[in-house]
Amino acid sequence: MNQKPSKFQYTGAIVCGIPSSLPDAAQRLSDPPEPVNYNKAVQQHLAYVRALKDLGLQVTELPTDEEYPDCVFVEDVAVVCDKVALLARLGHTTRRGEAAKMKTTLKKLGLEIVEMQEPAALDGGDVLFTGKEFLVGLSTRTNQAGINRLAETFPSYPVTAVPVTEHLHLKSMMTMAGDDIVVVGESEDAKNAWSEVEKKARFRYEKLSVPEDTAANCVFVNGTLLHLPAHEIPNSIEVFNQIKGPKIELENSELHKVDGCLTCLSILI
């Protein structure tokens, strides 16, 4: 499979350091089989940030905040598109304080800020921007009011709600692997979500199937695909090996233990 030239370019990204409170206090769907190795998590995150910088992005690095164990997962806090930032009202109440620091950062970057009010709730991890439209997970963290608010904020793009039943977020099981290419896991939840995309999305996409839902979370940046390495996705790596074009393998074993994915770690601008 050949990656096509990227139709839109990212110029920057926002990331945040990992607080030492994360291993014990981060939100998670279930307890991991083994604890998070904090030092290893920090090293993996540093490699992620370095990769974004090597791709030419201007990276804004927020300091860690021990009060918010999940603050490294910045993607959830805002959706940025066309110089407009929707500041989300996060689905988990313990994380909503993260928005204050993010609002200051978005202002400094010169973005127009739109804030989300109750009863709307939305996590950025549920928001998949294809370059043409938004596919948004209707999940335990994102409600219909949140999806409606996103549609109001970005009226130039169609918005389609996609039910998420087993996973934390939509992007836990599907992301962009190239222009008009969506990589999708093979769990029942992922298959059902893809079926909804095929029925409801305004545009058509090529589907790239991977056996492991974990493998389906990638970051596609300006023609380069960031994905997990073979030892983390042994059943899916051959699919990525067959993709032609620049790729970077990034480890995420430690943050995965608290439901963190590659896309969770940055807001692309």
Side-chain angles (χ1 to χ4, degrees):
M1 179 178 292
N2 290 304
Q3 291 177 21
K4 303 171 186 176
S6 189
K7 297 173 184 175
F8 59 93
Q9 297 288 307
Y10 292 110
T11 58
I14 301 171
V15 300
C16 181
I18 304 175
S20 59
S21 57
L22 178 140
D24 293 328
Q27 299 298 325
R28 63 198 76 186
L29 289 177
S30 60
D31 290 331
E34 59 183 53
V36 174
N37 182 322
Y38 176 73
N39 291 331
K40 188 175 181 180
V42 169
Q43 292 305 310
Q44 291 176 348
H45 186 259
L46 287 173
Y48 179 94
V49 174
R50 185 164 57 248
L52 295 180
K53 292 179 178 178
D54 288 346
L55 290 173
L57 300 187
Q58 294 294 318
V59 179
T60 299
E61 299 184 61
L62 303 182
T64 60
D65 190 335
E66 294 297 336
E67 185 179 355
Y68 296 103
D70 295 273
C71 64
V72 65
F73 304 127
V74 291
E75 175 188 50
D76 290 328
V77 189
V79 177
V80 177
C81 185
D82 294 345
K83 298 182 179 180
V84 176
L86 174 62
L87 196 64
R89 181 172 176 268
L90 293 173
H92 202 287
T93 57
T94 62
R95 295 193 61 192
R96 288 177 183 163
E98 296 174 34
K101 183 187 294 183
M102 184 60 68
K103 182 178 180 179
T104 300
T105 300
L106 296 170
K107 280 185 175 180
K108 288 180 179 178
L109 292 173
L111 299 170
E112 177 187 343
I113 298 175
V114 177
E115 297 191 55
M116 185 173 285
Q117 305 297 330
E118 191 176 3
L122 181 138
D123 278 12
D126 274 317
V127 181
L128 178 56
F129 181 60
T130 71
K132 297 177 176 179
E133 63 185 317
F134 288 100
L135 308 175
V136 188
L138 186 60
S139 69
T140 58
R141 299 293 178 86
T142 297
N143 61 23
Q144 187 61 53
I147 295 174
N148 293 344
R149 185 60 172 141
L150 183 135
E152 294 167 1
T153 304
F154 303 105
S156 299
Y157 299 98
V159 174
T160 297
V162 181
V164 176
T165 56
E166 301 296 331
H167 283 288
L168 181 64
H169 294 130
L170 178 65
K171 285 194 284 193
S172 301
M173 55 185 170
M174 72 172 67
T175 56
M176 303 306 295
D179 284 317
D180 299 331
I181 302 171
V182 181
V183 55
V184 185
E186 293 184 356
S187 69
E188 283 305 307
D189 198 16
K191 290 177 180 177
N192 291 338
W194 177 251
S195 178
E196 289 294 304
V197 170
E198 289 191 303
K199 291 176 186 174
K200 298 178 180 178
R202 294 281 293 275
F203 298 92
R204 308 303 295 175
Y205 303 96
E206 182 177 353
K207 179 188 179 185
L208 182 66
S209 293
V210 288
E212 298 146 304
D213 284 8
T214 304
N217 183 275
C218 305
V219 182
F220 183 64
V221 182
N222 302 344
T224 296
L225 185 64
L226 313 181
H227 66 84
L228 298 174
H231 62 273
E232 293 189 28
I233 50 168
N235 299 320
S236 302
I237 191 62
E238 188 55 36
V239 177
F240 293 109
N241 289 341
Q242 293 175 8
I243 299 175
K244 296 180 180 179
K247 293 169 291 204
I248 299 173
E249 295 187 7
L250 292 171
E251 294 184 340
N252 190 52
S253 61
E254 300 313 303
L255 293 179
H256 175 66
K257 294 173 183 176
V258 287
D259 304 319
C261 302
L262 292 178
T263 60
C264 300
L265 307 179
S266 61
I267 296 173
L268 298 177
I269 300 171

